Amino acid sequence: MTEAFDVQKTLHDTFETVFGNAADVRYYFAPGRVNLIGEHTDYNGGHVFPCALTVGTYGAARLREDKQIRLYSVNRAMNGISFSSVEDLRPLTGEQSWTNYIRGVVWSMQNRNYEFDTGFEMVIYGDIPAGAGLSSSASLEVLTGYALTDLYHFPTSGPELAIIGQDAENNFCGLSCGIMDQFASAMGEEDHALFLDTATLQYESVPLNLKGAKILITNTNVKHSLVDSEYNERRRQCAQALADLQTVTDIRSLGELTCDRFDKLKALIPDETNRRRAKHAVYENARATEAVRALKEGDLAAFGKLMNASHVSLRDDFETSCREADILAEAAWEIPGVYGSRITGGGFGGCTVSIVRDEATEEFRTKLSERYQKETGKTCDFYEVRAGMGPHVLDGPA
Ligand code: GLA
């Protein structure tokens, strides 16, 4: 993890080199996220319980006098400067496609009647490991919305930053994600996780009182292909199951069903696969709500068991886990001092998230590394994380 001071200096110096000088530049940060429980519930009107991280995307930006948008990424220096204009926003392909997350936010803001009389220039740098499923794209969208709000003095609220980010991702970048990632990034609070009802966008910040335990993220370092098409297929399957149930009930989403009600109605879903997908969505929503209750009562053991049940359901019913994540989660479950462990995020690779007692973290790292190496021939990485704050302005370099 990179020290903020170094990042600002890098951004400043890069800005100077790329754009001639760094006068009037402002510095920003927006976090990535890890989801503790409530997976694949956000497009089913259910609950999620993510927290923002202290890693994310940094930006240095200022307004221009003309209508151009000039973008540069320290992580993609080989791609050079991207040139476009606030008057002509279209998704790009190839080398410049990373800028879609930024320009998509401008596009979405314009659709909401935010006026861009001039353009802007921005240098960004991200310290989220690539492909880990820790929402680097959501953090870039939220960073952009937040920076533009500050530079142009727009009245955008935090939840609106999340909605704009999701709109950019869905309708400009063409990825049909739910609201969780952008919301977690936009509304994160230090040492708190966010209990969000995705049907109403009502949320509660819940203190992460882990009493002698830590959140450990383990990166499988794999990202299986077809992630986007599999994700979209899960969405379609859940939507079909809902449509089947709507022939006899007037529910608007799977998130409105209790487990009991679902069990009574499930025979109405003729397709066995779709039935399992819907079961996951309904039961996972119940688990998320129960887990938050357990955490508030200080019952980490109960919280952890729900995390494990979430993994089993993602593995068997929703089928978004993968062998690598199963190996890591199952190895973690055997270690005393591990409350719970599960695959986190969209799935098909990425990371597991575990709650581990302080004294068990060494054993956790050793055993998981050995087992992972032995069974996959690959290396996994560990990140000890804290819940960080949402987007904010940073001081310039000292
Ligand atoms: C991805 C999506 C989120 C959410 C998760 C699964 O991270 O971007 O909206 O659906 O998968 O919980």
Side-chain angles (χ1 to χ4, degrees):
M1 313 232 169
T2 323
E3 289 297 325
F5 173 75
D6 294 334
V7 176
Q8 276 123 298
K9 181 160 173 18
T10 304
L11 287 174
H12 172 273
D13 294 353
T14 309
F15 204 101
E16 234 171 32
T17 312
V18 173
F19 298 125
N21 64 69
D24 301 324
V25 164
R26 298 202 22 105
Y27 298 84
Y28 308 94
F29 171 77
R33 66 93 188 92
V34 64
N35 189 20
L36 299 175
I37 195 160
E39 213 67 85
H40 291 280
T41 49
D42 67 344
Y43 50 86
N44 286 305
H47 292 80
V48 292
F49 193 50
C51 61
L53 297 171
T54 55
V55 288
T57 308
Y58 295 81
R62 73 178 166 201
L63 296 178
R64 290 180 58 86
E65 283 176 3
D66 59 18
K67 303 235 167 178
Q68 281 197 24
I69 300 176
R70 293 194 181 174
L71 304 170
Y72 184 89
S73 163
V74 173
N75 305 79
R76 294 170 186 271
M78 63 297 220
N79 292 356
I81 307 174
S82 154
F83 296 87
S84 53
S85 154
V86 290
E87 292 179 313
D88 177 25
L89 291 163
R90 276 168 294 123
L92 300 174
T93 51
E95 278 190 352
Q96 302 304 327
S97 59
W98 68 272
T99 66
N100 290 343
Y101 298 106
I102 298 173
R103 291 175 314 100
V105 166
V106 180
W107 171 85
S108 177
M109 289 180 120
Q110 285 178 342
N111 292 342
R112 289 174 160 70
N113 296 322
Y114 288 107
E115 274 178 44
F116 291 80
D117 298 332
T118 61
F120 63 96
E121 50 202 7
M122 178 154 79
V123 172
I124 64 143
Y125 168 73
D127 62 358
I128 296 179
L134 300 175
S135 295
S136 56
S137 49
S139 76
L140 178 52
E141 290 150 6
V142 170
L143 174 90
T144 303
Y146 186 83
L148 299 179
T149 294
D150 180 66
L151 289 175
Y152 291 86
H153 306 293
F154 291 148
T156 340
S157 70
E160 198 184 354
L161 285 179
I163 292 166
I164 288 168
Q166 187 199 15
D167 181 37
E169 185 134 355
N170 290 174
N171 302 312
F172 195 83
C173 306
L175 297 163
S176 46
C177 63
I179 189 78
M180 170 171 72
D181 307 346
Q182 290 79 6
F183 210 94
S185 176
M187 301 304 294
E189 240 184 79
E190 229 170 15
D191 299 321
H192 287 67
L194 205 83
F195 185 44
L196 171 69
D197 179 345
T198 62
T200 60
L201 294 193
Q202 283 185 347
Y203 65 94
E204 184 190 348
S205 273
V206 181
L208 272 177
N209 251 331
L210 296 182
K211 298 180 297 185
K214 293 181 172 42
I215 303 174
L216 272 172
I217 293 178
T218 312
N219 194 347
T220 62
N221 290 320
V222 298
K223 188 179 181 193
H224 294 288
S225 54
L226 303 176
V227 177
D228 296 343
S229 60
E230 289 279 354
Y231 185 88
N232 290 339
E233 194 191 4
R234 295 302 179 282
R235 288 198 70 146
R236 269 197 306 279
Q237 291 167 329
C238 289
Q240 182 55 54
L242 174 65
D244 294 337
L245 297 178
Q246 283 171 331
T247 55
V248 295
T249 62
D250 58 0
I251 53 166
R252 281 157 301 171
S253 72
L254 294 174
E256 288 179 20
L257 292 176
T258 60
C259 299
D260 281 352
R261 181 112 194 272
F262 174 77
D263 286 336
K264 289 198 183 97
L265 294 173
K266 67 183 179 200
L268 291 162
I269 306 168
D271 185 276
E272 191 270 332
T273 305
N274 293 355
R275 206 181 308 136
R276 275 189 289 122
R277 305 298 192 239
K279 179 185 168 206
H280 168 80
V282 172
Y283 275 67
E284 179 74 358
N285 185 34
R287 275 191 290 270
T289 307
E290 226 177 289
V292 171
R293 195 177 315 126
L295 182 66
K296 285 182 182 168
E297 286 167 3
D299 190 348
L300 286 181
F303 189 89
K305 280 196 185 118
L306 291 158
M307 289 175 76
N308 297 349
S310 165
H311 184 86
V312 169
S313 177
L314 289 161
R315 184 190 67 193
D316 300 343
D317 285 336
F318 215 65
E319 294 179 286
T320 51
S321 187
C322 59
R323 185 170 157 260
E324 291 86 351
D326 291 343
I327 290 167
L328 290 176
E330 285 158 25
W333 297 342
E334 287 172 13
I335 301 170
V338 172
Y339 286 114
S341 185
R342 57 181 286 275
I343 187 168
T344 181
F348 308 103
C351 296
T352 62
V353 59
S354 312
I355 313 259
V356 186
R357 288 202 60 78
D358 294 343
E359 67 275 12
T361 53
E362 263 325 297
E363 185 185 357
F364 180 91
R365 285 170 186 257
T366 317
K367 290 220 166 119
L368 266 66
S369 301
E370 282 171 10
R371 178 96 157 255
Y372 197 64
Q373 173 71 42
K374 189 162 154 251
E375 293 193 29
T376 67
K378 297 184 194 105
T379 319
C380 57
D381 289 321
F382 299 93
Y383 320 117
E384 210 173 287
V385 297
R386 276 191 42 219
M389 64 200 278
H392 51 275
V393 175
L394 300 167
D395 293 335

